[in-house]
Amino acid sequence: MSALHPRTRRTAGTAAVLGTALALTACAGGTDAPVGEPETPSEPVDLRMTVWTADETQLGLFQSIADAYVADNPELVSSVTFETIPFEDYTTALTTQLAGGNAPDLAWIFESNAPEFVASGALVDLRPVLEGTEGYAYDDLVPSALSLWQDGEGLYAYPFSNSPFAMFVNTDQIEAAGQPNPVDLVADGRWTFDAARDIAAATAADSGKQGLVVRDFDYQAWENLATVWSGWKAAPWSADGTQCTFTEPEMVDAMTWFHDAVFTDGALPTPGTTADFFAGDAAMTITQISRASSLDDSFHWDIVPMPEGPAGKQNVVGQAGVGVFAAGEHPDVAADFLAYFTNAENAEQLAAYFPPPRQSLLNGDSLAAANPKLTADQLEAVVVEGVEDAVTKPAHKNFAKLSETVRAELDALWVEDADVEAVLADTCSAITPLLED
Amino acid sequence: MKSDVKADTTSDVLSVAGRGAPAEPPGAPGDGVTRDGETGGAAPRRRGLGARARGRLTRWLLVLVLAVLSVPFVFPTWWMATSSLKPMSEILRRVPTIWPQDPSLEAYGRVFTLQPFAQQYWNSLYIAVLVTIGTMLVAAMAGYAFARIRFPGANALFVLVLVGLLVPSEVTIVPLFRIVNSLGLINTHWPLIVIPVLGAPAVLAVFIMRQFFLGLPTELEEAGRIDGLGRWGVFWRIAVPLSRSALGAVAIFTFLKSWNLYLEPVVYLSSKENFTLPQALTQYVDAYGGPMWNVQLAATTLTVLPVLAVFLVAQKQFVQGLAHSGLKG
Amino acid sequence: MATASAAVRRDWLVGYTMVAPVVLGSLAFVVLPLGMVVWYSLHEWNVLANTFTFVGAENYQRMASDPGLADALAATVWFSIGLVVVNIALALLLAVLLNQKLPGTTTFRTFFFSPVVVSLVAWTIVWSFLLQADGGINGFLEQAGVQGPNWLRHPTTAMIAVIIVQVFKNVGLNMILFLAALQGVPEELQEAARLDGAGAWRRFRSITLPLISPTILLVSIITIVGSLEVFAQIDVLTGGGPGNSTTVLVYYLYQQAFRFNEFGYASALAVLLFVIVLVLTLLQWQSRKRWVFHEV
């Protein structure tokens, strides 16, 4: 029974179940506490941050930063706990905690949830705290990295991770097929989506394996196709999120290209076929550079920036944010801790795992120290340049519903004789009411 | 060989519990042994030789059918266990390898270094044991009372309890979380013990026990009352011992359910030392959230094999427990 | 009642004491949460925005005009019928085979039961590998000269695949229940019928089936109720697709609550789910008199 510790931060309720039940239905009100310099609480508080990483070294790093903060601010905080929730169930568990009136003080937030969280008012505006924190250098933050997490002037979460999408290539397979090395094409300025398609198709035909894999897409998570259609400057909806743009010519062209690359050229795996690049099952893959850690020495590989599309090269990053909940118990203390957690010095430590949104840290050398599998040149080409003017994957404050609806509609596109324009038109009529919501 | 024991117990328990079952003719258990044991040698006398050969052929054909049917049941488990010996890249290969090319126990070592796995194993084990014991107790009492004692409102209360059988856990997880939270019991094991014992998960157990007691002849209990035992005495000294088989079935059901509980621990528990196994399994991920399949599968194998072993040993008892638990009626 | 003697009253007290834990537990952990769900269902509740507004029956009215719900109900009907029929037929078949006292019975029994203890996650993932267009199953079919379908990408085969994977996972439990029931069928009845010249199928239909019909009732209730709770398998295998073909009610409810943050509407769906389960169970229970051989 030794494991039955009641949580220390709350005294165990003495009220009987039935007695408290009446009070339960009343919704816990979020206190819109003004955030600024935290007032010293009557006694030091315990902070709790929910994360989805379970990696011991990452958690160890977080804890060491937190311990230093506690040591500096004993009157504010007595401890910081990092609570791991499994990736797959992260949103479910976080939502249950919010619904149950047990909001964490800080939480990691998925990129796709960003506009919803930002618009909901659930998060505290961090900008005054970050700007007001001495030595924080708010201006050092890359503006394009912040845009997803802003609403008006306010910044509602800090994008601690900015991992650009890039193309990994299996040079063994490409060489065996007698195809040009993408690295050379990049140097010649001939690295285009069409070139990538041709290399992928020829290599797949030669190896009997797969060509190009858009990782995590699997014909379900369609938002990952943003890495492709961005080369056409296409987007699913207008920047303000009110108009469907699936039927615009750029998107029709991009989707037609993709459909034909799959079904005519055999450059990408067909639906229902998965191939793992890191297991040696595919010639190339589009994914975030952070996945380099999955590579072992079973084949030779290289990494190149995203190819150019008809509209030029467009960088895409995948982000993750961390925010402070207004409904938490100590939002002002939590925001102060966040300012410490992500200051220049600590951001450099975190850069070992998460490319930071700080201009000063985005150079090949400082990133190479943290990423032993990649050279400074590779990092310079892919990360540093990849974060410049990068767009994020599609996001919307109604994203969950949009994502589900678009997935269901696009299923009609993933057959050999699909009518691309008709499917995209259907998609627009299905999501227009959701965009207007 | 073991089948002799089965035939014996079967008829033995039948004659105690055997509501409506015809009296065992003498020698029936022995008959069972011959039917059961050697397939060819001791076939019933009245069948001719040709029929016997045909019968034998049919039996081997049936065994073949069973063997083929086993494949989809066994393969995933086999894959899971053997993949825990493979490196990551081999696990993810599209055409699964039946046997690791270069087996290694490395993943098993990492299971214990990455997390307090032994502590988590203990958590799951002690929670499951407490839930099992508690459920057996609660269900035996309630099942007995609903079956035997005629008190006003018994039917209404039984219907009330049965509602729990009909509520999917996804439906009540949010209100239950609010209740647990308001009691300050988040990140403790209390909700994982108390709610299953008293709430919806216990209802099936109550139902099984009630059906069992309904099918139990009352003579023994009446004898007990004549000997001066009160209700509690009859319950503890006569009814509970007689219901061993049904309790066994309840125990296995309950243990498995608690052992595999997933959504609830994920929602209620937040620190690794408090995690239970199904939840802990999801924590073996690399720095970027991608699962470390070999370690995850090694940990999964460690959680599955002991339970399978227990089933292998206890299955006869289990089947008979159910056979006479009144589930048949 | 008024004339109940002291002894009878004492007996009542014992009865109340014995049922007290489970009755109070049901009140606290089943009835109260259900009541709260009903209360939530009368509100528009966005957890993120922290809004909780009374809207009366609006969530229920919304159901009538929600095309997603209509699809989900249709998928649920197909899924549940398919699951119950396949599950019970296979469980019965396995139980009958295992009851023949064939060599290796103990091993086979363990084989068929083993998926019940295997973790759902591992189980579903290996099946998702096997069901790929070029996965193990189609590889096997190819050997037999059959071009296998792209299982998880067509509405019909996706539904079949989800059902089959779920059946293999849990049929072992039902098989054990049937096996137990079969062992309770007196050999003498079979023997007598055999002497009367009844064939195996005839004996099964007119002796075995009626005698185990109460178990069939119980198993079908448990399986139907269980089929309405299947969630993780669908999430991993199809994500509700293709289209909405495998979005069953509980998956839809989960999406509304935890993905779309519509707790009020999700609560109304939960009430609907509960009512459906309740009605189905009552119907099955009512119909038992017609096809269940003997009564408790």
Side-chain angles (χ1 to χ4, degrees), chain A residues 114 120 164 237 322 327 345:
Chain A
S120 69
W237 43 74
V322 54
E345 188 185 323

Side-chain angles (χ1 to χ4, degrees), chain A residues 5-8 10 48 83 97 100 102, chain B residues 176-191 267-270 274:
Chain A
H5 319 291
R7 229 173 122 91
T8 42
R10 287 170 216 281
R48 183 165 67 96
E83 179 181 324
Q97 292 190 0
N102 185 35
Chain B
L176 280 176
F177 183 86
R178 291 189 82 114
I179 293 173
V180 171
N181 187 39
S182 71
L183 294 174
L185 296 176
I186 298 297
N187 200 20
T188 71
H189 291 152
W190 287 109
V267 167
Y268 292 130
L269 302 180
S270 54
N274 283 349

